[in-house]
């Protein structure tokens, strides 16, 4: 046995191991699309106001989304983490009910 092997067995070796912690990978949160659905009763102006108020869209962007909802039946309001998307859906639904409109809004995984 060499001197080094003897030192290692006795715990007096010169090699010092450096303990490194593996840095855990942070997982990105899942994203969800907030979608507005068409109905035959909610006024277009109300939809535009809702998009401006809760999704901070410009009048031009809100009008574009409103027309997409009107012509295609559904429009994308934005993509958010689950908690933010759920909050926005609930805000839109509450606002619509308070103003006696049947406007529907939902979320789906992006």
């Amino acid at each position: 046995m060499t001197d080094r092997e003897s030192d290692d067995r006795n715990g007096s070796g010169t090699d010092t191991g450096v303990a490194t912690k593996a840095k855990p990978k942070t997982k990105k949160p899942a994203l969800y699309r907030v979608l507005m659905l068409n109905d035959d009763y909610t006024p277009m102006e109300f939809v535009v106001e809702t998009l401006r108020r809760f999704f901070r869209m410009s009048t031009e962007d809100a009008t574009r989304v409103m027309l997409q909802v009107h012509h295609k039946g559904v429009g994308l309001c934005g993509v958010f983490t689950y908690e933010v998307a759920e909050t926005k859906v609930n805000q839109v639904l509450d606002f619509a009910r308070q103003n006696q409109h049947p406007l529907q809004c939902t979320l789906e995984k992006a």
Side-chain angles (χ1 to χ4, degrees):
M1 184 176 338
T2 66
D3 287 337
R4 182 180 173 116
E5 288 173 339
S6 176
D7 286 345
D8 285 346
R9 287 186 186 195
N10 295 331
S12 61
T14 56
D15 289 336
T16 57
V18 177
T20 58
K21 275 190 175 179
K23 189 174 181 180
K25 294 233 176 193
T26 305
K27 193 174 175 183
K28 288 187 176 183
L31 296 176
Y32 291 79
R33 291 182 198 99
V34 175
L35 303 171
M36 191 168 285
L37 308 175
N38 190 37
D39 65 70
D40 294 330
Y41 303 102
T42 304
M44 293 178 179
E45 297 80 18
F46 183 80
V47 174
V48 170
E49 175 58 29
T50 301
L51 291 165
R52 292 186 70 226
R53 179 181 292 213
F54 297 108
F55 299 96
R56 299 184 183 240
M57 290 186 188
S58 66
T59 301
E60 295 77 24
D61 288 340
T63 301
R64 181 181 45 76
V65 173
M66 176 274 298
L67 289 172
Q68 187 176 24
V69 170
H70 181 69
H71 293 294
K72 297 189 178 187
V74 64
L76 178 65
C77 302
V79 179
F80 310 94
T81 60
Y82 180 77
E83 291 79 13
V84 174
E86 184 180 44
T87 299
K88 290 195 177 284
V89 166
N90 288 330
Q91 288 174 328
V92 168
L93 295 176
D94 290 346
F95 186 60
R97 298 306 160 266
Q98 289 168 1
N99 289 278
Q100 300 172 348
H101 295 299
L103 183 64
Q104 292 295 305
C105 192
T106 189
L107 59 92
E108 70 178 18
K109 196 163 189 175

